[in-house]
Amino acid sequence: MASRVLLAVAVVAGCAVGLSGATIHIVGGNHGWNPNIINYTLWSRSQTFFVGDLISFRYQNGTHSVFEVNETGYGSCTMDGVAGNWTSGKDFVPLVEPRRYFFICGNGFCQAGMKVAVTVIDQDFQFHDHGPEMEPDCAADCGTAAASVAARLMVTALAVAIAALA
């Protein structure tokens, strides 16, 4: 067991450069994933989610769950378009592409406000007064930017694997 921990520490230390921009967003902050405690819409609006970041749901195992659904499922608190399901109580979901993600509690608490939508943007988008432009800033080398995103995704996968060992 000690050798696994040392290996995990060595891998994380070796990949630290690639992790420099990744963020783990704990849904609800110190309140976690619980009904009637926090407005998750306001929480998500206060965050900036980038490709390669992780979103983490913290809750009492067995009491709640997390389902990624489509926009219809999110709006109606149903399982429409289920794309993922997590039940550990300490779930890490990698945000691997720029798009809108929709998550609900599958244990009947969605109607009580346990749902969150997050918009994930690419690190390379330019921001202007009228919002993000949908074209990358390639004044620098775009190949380097793509390699950076790939490295961050690899480190994110490693972080999830290490968390599963813990």
Coordinates of all heavy atoms in Angstrom, one line a residue, residues 12-24 52-54 148 151-157 159:
V12 N 1.8 12.5 -9.5 CA 1.2 13.8 -9.4 C 2.3 14.9 -9.4 O 2.2 15.9 -10.0 CB 0.4 13.9 -8.1 CG1 0.0 15.3 -7.8 CG2 -0.8 13.0 -8.2
A13 N 3.4 14.7 -8.7 CA 4.5 15.7 -8.7 C 5.1 15.8 -10.1 O 5.4 17.0 -10.5 CB 5.6 15.2 -7.7
G14 N 5.2 14.8 -10.8 CA 5.8 14.8 -12.2 C 4.9 15.6 -13.1 O 5.3 16.1 -14.1
C15 N 3.6 15.5 -12.8 CA 2.6 16.2 -13.7 C 2.1 17.5 -13.2 O 1.2 18.1 -13.8 CB 1.4 15.2 -13.9 SG 1.7 13.7 -14.7
A16 N 2.7 18.0 -12.2 CA 2.3 19.3 -11.6 C 2.3 20.4 -12.6 O 1.4 21.3 -12.5 CB 3.1 19.6 -10.4
V17 N 3.2 20.5 -13.5 CA 3.3 21.6 -14.4 C 2.0 21.6 -15.3 O 1.5 22.6 -15.6 CB 4.6 21.4 -15.3 CG1 4.5 22.5 -16.4 CG2 5.8 21.6 -14.4
G18 N 1.6 20.4 -15.7 CA 0.4 20.3 -16.6 C -0.9 20.7 -15.8 O -1.9 21.0 -16.4
L19 N -0.9 20.6 -14.5 CA -2.0 20.8 -13.7 C -2.2 22.3 -13.3 O -3.2 22.7 -12.7 CB -1.9 20.0 -12.4 CG -3.1 19.9 -11.5 CD1 -4.3 19.3 -12.2 CD2 -2.8 19.1 -10.3
S20 N -1.3 23.1 -13.7 CA -1.2 24.5 -13.2 C -2.5 25.3 -13.4 O -2.8 26.1 -12.6 CB -0.1 25.3 -13.9 OG -0.3 25.3 -15.3
G21 N -3.3 25.0 -14.5 CA -4.5 25.8 -14.7 C -5.8 25.0 -14.3 O -6.8 25.6 -14.3
A22 N -5.7 23.7 -14.0 CA -6.9 22.9 -13.7 C -7.5 23.3 -12.3 O -6.7 23.6 -11.4 CB -6.6 21.5 -13.7
T23 N -8.8 23.3 -12.2 CA -9.5 23.6 -11.0 C -10.4 22.5 -10.6 O -11.1 22.0 -11.5 CB -10.2 25.0 -11.1 OG1 -9.3 26.0 -11.4 CG2 -10.9 25.3 -9.8
I24 N -10.5 22.2 -9.3 CA -11.6 21.3 -8.9 C -12.7 22.2 -8.3 O -12.4 22.9 -7.3 CB -11.1 20.3 -7.9 CG1 -10.0 19.4 -8.5 CG2 -12.2 19.5 -7.3 CD1 -9.3 18.4 -7.5
G52 N -10.9 20.7 -18.9 CA -9.8 20.1 -18.1 C -10.1 20.3 -16.6 O -9.4 19.6 -15.8
D53 N -11.0 21.1 -16.2 CA -11.4 21.2 -14.8 C -12.2 20.0 -14.4 O -12.6 19.2 -15.2 CB -12.2 22.5 -14.5 CG -11.4 23.8 -14.6 OD1 -10.1 23.7 -14.7 OD2 -12.0 24.9 -14.6
L54 N -12.3 19.9 -13.1 CA -13.2 18.8 -12.5 C -14.3 19.5 -11.7 O -14.1 20.5 -11.1 CB -12.4 18.0 -11.5 CG -11.3 17.1 -12.1 CD1 -10.4 16.6 -11.0 CD2 -11.9 15.9 -12.9
S148 N -1.4 21.7 -24.5 CA -1.7 22.0 -23.1 C -3.0 21.4 -22.6 O -3.1 20.9 -21.6 CB -1.7 23.6 -23.0 OG -2.1 23.9 -21.7
A151 N -2.6 17.7 -22.2 CA -1.9 17.4 -21.0 C -2.8 17.6 -19.8 O -2.7 16.8 -18.8 CB -0.6 18.3 -20.9
R152 N -3.6 18.6 -19.8 CA -4.5 18.8 -18.6 C -5.5 17.7 -18.5 O -5.9 17.3 -17.4 CB -5.2 20.2 -18.8 CG -4.2 21.3 -18.5 CD -4.9 22.7 -18.6 NE -5.8 22.8 -17.6 CZ -6.9 23.6 -17.7 NH1 -7.2 24.2 -18.8 NH2 -7.8 23.7 -16.7
L153 N -6.0 17.2 -19.6 CA -7.0 16.1 -19.6 C -6.3 14.9 -19.1 O -6.9 14.1 -18.3 CB -7.6 15.9 -21.0 CG -8.5 17.0 -21.5 CD1 -8.9 16.7 -22.9 CD2 -9.7 17.1 -20.6
M154 N -5.1 14.6 -19.4 CA -4.4 13.5 -18.9 C -4.2 13.6 -17.4 O -4.4 12.6 -16.7 CB -3.0 13.3 -19.6 CG -2.2 12.1 -19.1 SD -0.5 12.1 -19.7 CE 0.2 13.3 -18.8
V155 N -3.8 14.7 -16.9 CA -3.6 14.9 -15.5 C -4.9 14.8 -14.8 O -5.0 14.2 -13.7 CB -2.9 16.3 -15.2 CG1 -2.9 16.6 -13.8 CG2 -1.5 16.3 -15.8
T156 N -6.0 15.3 -15.4 CA -7.3 15.2 -14.8 C -7.7 13.7 -14.6 O -8.2 13.3 -13.6 CB -8.4 15.9 -15.6 OG1 -8.1 17.3 -15.7 CG2 -9.8 15.7 -15.1
A157 N -7.5 12.9 -15.7 CA -7.7 11.5 -15.6 C -6.9 10.8 -14.5 O -7.4 10.0 -13.7 CB -7.5 10.8 -16.9
A159 N -5.8 12.3 -11.8 CA -6.3 12.7 -10.5 C -7.5 11.9 -10.1 O -7.7 11.5 -8.9 CB -6.6 14.2 -10.5

